[in-house]
Amino acid sequence: SRVGASVIAALLTACAIGSVWYWLPGPASSSTTTAQSLAVLPLKAFDAGDNYLGLGIADAVIRRTSQTGGMVVRPTSAIQRYVAQDPDAVTAARQLSADVVLENFKPNTMHKYGLDYATLSKTNPRLIYVGHKGFLPGPYEHRTALDEVVQMMSGLAYMTGRPGDPLRAGTSVNDIMGGMFGAIGTLGALIQRGITGKGMEVQSALFENNVFLMGQHMLQYAVTGKHPAPMPARVSPWAIYDVFTVKNGEQIFLAAVSDAQWATFCDALGYTDLKADPSLATNNQRVHQRPTLLKTISDRLALRTADELAALFEKVGLPFAPIRKPEDLYDDPHLKATGGLADILLPDGERAGG
């Protein structure tokens, strides 16, 4: 309800978060929680070991210009210093009065500096401590995890690539989703603290994130006893559900996933012969003839441009998608109209994307 949302927004606005991280799950969680009006106090990385701060990702992800109104960042000079350069930064971090601490270091790293939940909660029993790890506690927890590591061991790379050629997904899905699950856990813990008055420790992990993504394929095997094929080799449940190369070599994804959509598809494109063909009347019939049907349709679509097809499919309400590159999204009219792209500042002060 609107009242409930207002209460939650008021609760979150009053919270301060200490964020300690060295790679994507930390800032991903920070940016998600700050989008809910929480204030972030970025402690940055303080371990002199391997980290990726040189890439400039850290500040770019968790800073947003004040004009956007979505993220509030309250850095202080004490907590922005590296321990490797100034040991007093650890003391400053311990004395920080935060509602939530986010971290994504290897197991026992925070304990080494006396910044673990057991230590901090002694002086701050209302603290919510969110750890982003490679694995939840268990046999694998000591392993070094990367997004690609868990994609390979959890089935995502197998399902993404061609048979015999496992392929990492096109973005750091587990790093980002790990941060989102951490943020969700943070919100739940804040609500629980409002009831009990006590904080808690929350953990999110890359491996378990990926297993969650694989749930549909695991269930398919459990129900049918058949191993799901990688996506490029799968048997599509729909006949028209593919990327088509059209006029001038452009590409566009088009779909018709029901008998009603098939009729609309044929009417919109003027394929009266296909609509009247009794052997194509149902989706199952079309799937059985998919190779031949796709060849026929591909030849006909090659005479039309991607823009023409996009306008036509949008008009009649059929699923479609242009094939875009990430950089194309900066000019996406929908994102521009809805404010879906937020300005961010890089460490050198320049705006990203412009």
Side-chain angles (χ1 to χ4, degrees):
S1 68
R2 291 185 178 180
V3 174
S6 298
V7 171
I8 292 175
L11 170 67
L12 299 183
T13 301
C15 293
I17 296 179
S19 181
V20 193
W21 37 259
Y22 78 109
W23 195 226
L24 282 177
S29 186
S30 296
S31 61
T32 302
T33 49
T34 50
Q36 310 300 322
S37 300
L38 282 76
V40 167
L41 301 157
L43 282 77
K44 292 190 176 181
F46 54 81
D47 195 335
D50 294 337
N51 64 67
Y52 296 86
L53 290 178
L55 295 178
I57 292 176
D59 286 344
V61 172
I62 72 162
R63 282 190 197 163
R64 188 182 299 177
T65 57
S66 59
Q67 287 82 0
T68 65
M71 181 181 294
V72 182
V73 180
R74 297 185 343 203
T76 67
S77 58
I79 60 176
Q80 283 186 313
R81 293 175 295 190
Y82 294 98
V83 166
Q85 300 170 346
D86 187 350
D88 290 341
V90 171
T91 301
R94 290 197 191 108
Q95 295 173 349
L96 178 65
S97 179
D99 294 277
V100 181
V101 168
L102 305 176
E103 61 89 12
N104 76 311
F105 286 89
K106 292 180 180 180
N108 297 320
T109 298
M110 298 296 279
H111 176 75
K112 179 173 63 176
Y113 291 105
L115 293 172
D116 56 302
Y117 175 70
T119 301
L120 296 181
S121 62
K122 291 178 181 178
T123 55
N124 185 3
R126 290 175 55 82
L127 176 67
I128 294 167
Y129 193 97
V130 186
H132 300 83
K133 304 299 182 182
F135 306 90
L136 293 180
Y140 297 161
E141 67 179 305
H142 66 283
R143 294 186 182 181
T144 299
L146 297 170
D147 205 305
E148 196 149 347
V149 169
V150 298
Q151 287 193 35
M152 294 293 173
M153 66 185 294
S154 304
L156 180 57
Y158 171 84
M159 293 301 300
T160 303
R162 296 181 296 273
D165 185 20
L167 180 67
R168 172 201 162 102
T171 189
S172 300
V173 290
N174 294 296
D175 284 328
I176 296 169
M177 190 171 67
M180 293 180 66
F181 275 130
I184 293 169
T186 298
L187 301 181
L190 284 168
I191 293 173
Q192 184 69 14
R193 188 182 69 177
I195 299 172
T196 65
K198 297 181 180 180
M200 66 178 66
E201 185 173 13
V202 176
Q203 287 193 349
S204 174
L206 304 187
F207 177 65
E208 282 75 9
N209 293 340
N210 207 134
V211 172
F212 180 74
L213 288 179
M214 290 296 99
Q216 66 184 99
H217 303 303
M218 294 169 67
L219 184 61
Q220 177 183 336
Y221 173 73
V223 172
T224 67
K226 298 180 180 179
H227 297 282
M231 297 301 283
R234 74 192 187 283
V235 177
S236 176
W238 304 291
I240 311 301
Y241 196 80
D242 219 320
V243 175
F244 295 90
T245 300
V246 296
K247 193 172 183 179
N248 300 322
E250 297 176 315
Q251 290 186 307
I252 186 170
F253 173 82
L254 303 174
V257 298
S258 68
D259 293 339
Q261 287 189 4
W262 167 250
T264 301
F265 177 89
C266 291
D267 289 341
L269 294 166
Y271 298 164
T272 54
D273 57 327
L274 298 181
K275 183 179 180 182
D277 188 338
S279 69
L280 301 175
T282 68
N283 181 66
N284 284 343
Q285 289 175 303
R286 294 190 294 275
V287 168
H288 286 306
Q289 301 188 55
R290 192 169 190 265
T292 302
L293 181 59
L294 284 182
K295 177 65 168 59
T296 299
I297 291 175
S298 295
D299 291 343
R300 298 185 186 188
L301 291 177
L303 303 176
R304 299 174 182 259
T305 67
D307 286 344
E308 177 187 355
L309 290 166
L312 180 61
F313 273 54
E314 184 163 14
K315 180 180 179 180
V316 299
L318 288 176
F320 74 96
I323 308 303
R324 291 180 175 167
K325 299 175 183 177
E327 58 265 29
D328 297 334
L329 299 179
Y330 284 114
D331 298 316
D332 183 274
H334 179 82
L335 294 175
K336 284 187 171 183
T338 60
L341 297 176
D343 289 335
I344 59 175
L345 293 177
L346 298 177
D348 58 9
E350 295 181 2
R351 290 180 60 251

